[in-house]
Amino acid sequence: LSANPRVSPLWVPAGQRALAWGECLGLCPLQGAGSRGEQARQLVIDLETRGKQAFPVFLSILRDTGQGNLADMLMKECECPPVPPQLGDLRPVELEFRGEKHRSLPRAAVGLGPPADPGLVTCSSELERGEGCVIATCVCQVYELKADPCGHCLILNNVNFSRHSDLSTRVGSDVDCEKLEKRFKALRFNVLTRRNLEAQEMVVELQSLARQDHGTSDCCIVVILSHGCQTSHIQFPGAVYGTDGKPIPIEKIVNYFNGSHCPSLRGKPKLFFIQACGGEQRDRGFVVDCNSPGDEAPRGSLESDARPFQPPAGNGDEPDAVASLPTPSDILVSYSTFPGFVSWREASTGSWYVETLDSMLEQYACSEDLLSMLLRVANAVSAKGRYKQIPGCFNFLRKKFFFACK
């Protein structure tokens, strides 16, 4: 017991008596447990892992059998404040801040004790801001956003398409664009918007951003608002259209910013938000037991960003082909809808996805990580309308991402 940080060497004999009672109760078997000291330590571990009532019940048994002094000594010892946790013992801890539920809490580093294993590297922890509480998190698992501005945000907003493209005007897309411009500016990004670009013009803008020196930036964001479709892919599904009706695969767009083509963004988060259809399928959903509050019929202004999928000509299956692609680390692609399905947009309020994304960023960007907010977006959008839609993402981030609020 003396090796346990909460047990004083002065009462080891008492610990041996407790061990004897623990053996009687089957908490610590005599066989295979090593020395008496190791068995005593095992008793403490067993009590700690058998629920909140295990220790009080054990004390009660000691008193009932005439071992009241031993029970009192155990009680007194356990009232001592615990030592700082070691790296391997860190647990999420919620800390309530009365009267400060809606105030943005600063991130604070918390020092930890020496690592349990000499081969482990000790890291500090960070306090995630939450509603009424903060949760201890290792800072090595959170992307740093210290630059101001945090980085560049490029928004490509295609509204009007050429006649020969057979693509309709995307009424309501300017509403989406205006919301996201304001939102990402408020989140400390340098926002650049380009409107009504043909496919090659979109490529030029994307490549121009990828070729910039991002050495002083901590992040990069690309937002695309356009019509979309299914397409053959290796990494990321879907494609978006230029105003000339020519598609650009999402994986091509993403790869402009990967570690091979954009060295100054290596190790930094690269976020893509795609408001476009993933195909022409319309999801009518399935019946659930409860009544959905959003189960109304689509309004007259409801439109989709779909175009039929055109499979590539010929047989693309080459048995001897070898793909050599860089690992898409530190990348997240958020899609407005599931691959193959339409994405809904309304003339007055914009698309379901962007409207909900903007709302969640407004409410939770200062308290939650990006993936938690995207779950909220998916849940809220999935409850809308008679035709259904659910956003999703391809996540290759290595750490938690928190926006830097002003």
Side-chain angles (χ1 to χ4, degrees):
L1 287 173
S2 60
N4 188 289
R6 299 200 304 188
V7 180
S8 169
L10 298 178
W11 59 280
V12 171
Q16 297 293 347
R17 284 188 286 151
L19 173 62
W21 283 103
E23 291 169 354
C24 294
L25 296 173
L27 290 174
C28 182
L30 284 172
Q31 300 296 328
S35 67
R36 298 291 289 180
E38 291 172 346
Q39 293 177 32
R41 286 192 293 274
Q42 185 62 45
L43 170 61
V44 175
I45 293 172
D46 286 345
L47 285 172
E48 289 178 345
T49 59
R50 294 204 177 195
K52 295 180 179 180
Q53 299 301 318
F55 188 67
V57 169
F58 184 60
L59 295 180
S60 176
I61 293 174
L62 289 177
R63 290 192 175 96
D64 290 344
T65 55
Q67 299 293 328
N69 292 337
L70 175 56
D72 292 340
M73 292 177 69
L74 286 169
M75 262 307 271
K76 182 178 180 181
E77 188 65 30
C78 288
E79 289 175 356
C80 297
V83 297
Q86 294 180 334
L87 177 65
D89 298 325
L90 185 63
R91 300 286 189 276
V93 179
E94 294 189 358
L95 306 176
E96 295 185 358
F97 289 83
R98 296 180 180 178
E100 300 183 356
K101 181 173 182 179
H102 299 290
R103 182 174 69 85
S104 295
L105 299 174
R107 297 189 177 185
V110 180
L112 302 179
D117 187 329
L120 294 178
V121 178
T122 302
C123 60
S124 60
S125 66
E126 188 167 273
L127 298 181
E128 293 179 20
R129 298 159 293 180
E131 297 184 53
C133 69
V134 291
I135 302 176
T137 299
C138 177
V139 293
C140 63
Q141 290 301 314
V142 177
Y143 286 107
E144 288 188 356
L145 266 68
K146 294 182 178 180
D148 192 4
C150 298
H152 296 284
C153 172
L154 174 63
I155 301 178
L156 302 182
N157 179 28
N158 288 341
V159 180
N160 302 311
F161 293 78
S162 61
R163 292 183 178 179
H164 69 269
S165 69
D166 294 328
L167 294 170
S168 62
T169 300
R170 299 183 62 256
V171 181
S173 186
D174 286 333
V175 177
D176 287 344
C177 185
E178 183 179 351
K179 288 178 180 177
L180 294 180
E181 283 178 340
K182 292 180 179 179
R183 184 61 52 207
F184 287 120
K185 285 180 181 178
L187 293 173
R188 294 172 41 189
F189 281 85
N190 183 16
V191 179
L192 174 65
T193 300
R194 291 288 183 261
R195 192 174 188 268
N196 294 332
L197 300 183
E198 294 183 352
Q200 186 55 38
E201 293 173 329
M202 294 174 67
V203 169
V204 170
E205 289 292 339
L206 291 163
Q207 289 180 332
S208 175
L209 177 60
R211 289 168 181 166
Q212 290 187 33
D213 183 3
H214 298 268
T216 59
S217 301
D218 293 327
C219 179
C220 183
I221 293 178
V222 173
V223 179
I224 299 180
L225 313 172
S226 187
H227 284 294
C229 65
Q230 285 180 280
T231 187
S232 298
H233 66 279
I234 298 174
Q235 295 173 323
F236 301 94
V240 291
Y241 284 105
T243 56
D244 54 355
K246 296 180 180 179
I248 308 173
I250 299 298
E251 67 179 12
K252 180 178 180 180
I253 294 172
V254 172
N255 282 334
Y256 290 143
F257 299 86
N258 65 28
S260 294
H261 297 111
C262 187
S264 61
L265 280 175
R266 288 175 182 169
K268 300 176 182 180
K270 298 162 278 286
L271 312 178
F272 300 82
F273 298 92
I274 312 297
Q275 166 53 45
C277 280
E280 61 178 343
Q281 296 185 62
R282 299 188 179 191
D283 184 6
R284 293 183 177 273
F286 57 90
V287 178
V288 293
D289 294 335
C290 60
N291 294 323
S292 171
D295 193 29
E296 72 278 1
R299 302 170 206 173
S301 62
L302 193 61
E303 300 177 358
S304 73
D305 289 326
R307 185 171 182 180
F309 169 56
Q310 299 294 334
N315 183 5
D317 185 12
E318 300 178 8
D320 295 331
V322 178
S324 179
L325 299 174
T327 302
S329 61
D330 306 295
I331 286 174
L332 181 140
V333 182
S334 175
Y335 291 88
S336 62
T337 189
F338 192 80
F341 287 84
V342 299
S343 183
W344 297 106
R345 169 176 37 81
E346 298 185 30
S348 59
T349 58
S351 64
W352 292 358
Y353 168 72
V354 172
E355 180 185 23
T356 309
L357 175 64
D358 177 65
S359 175
M360 295 306 170
L361 288 173
E362 179 181 19
Q363 296 179 65
Y364 302 106
C366 291
S367 62
E368 293 188 0
D369 68 287
L370 178 58
L371 286 178
S372 297
M373 289 186 284
L374 291 179
L375 285 176
R376 291 182 180 272
V377 172
N379 183 55
V381 173
S382 67
K384 290 179 175 285
R386 181 168 298 171
Y387 283 112
K388 294 300 179 181
Q389 174 184 335
I390 183 165
C393 69
F394 278 58
N395 175 34
F396 294 93
L397 297 179
R398 298 176 295 111
K399 306 176 183 180
K400 288 189 176 183
F401 180 91
F402 289 89
F403 284 102
C405 297
K406 291 184 178 180

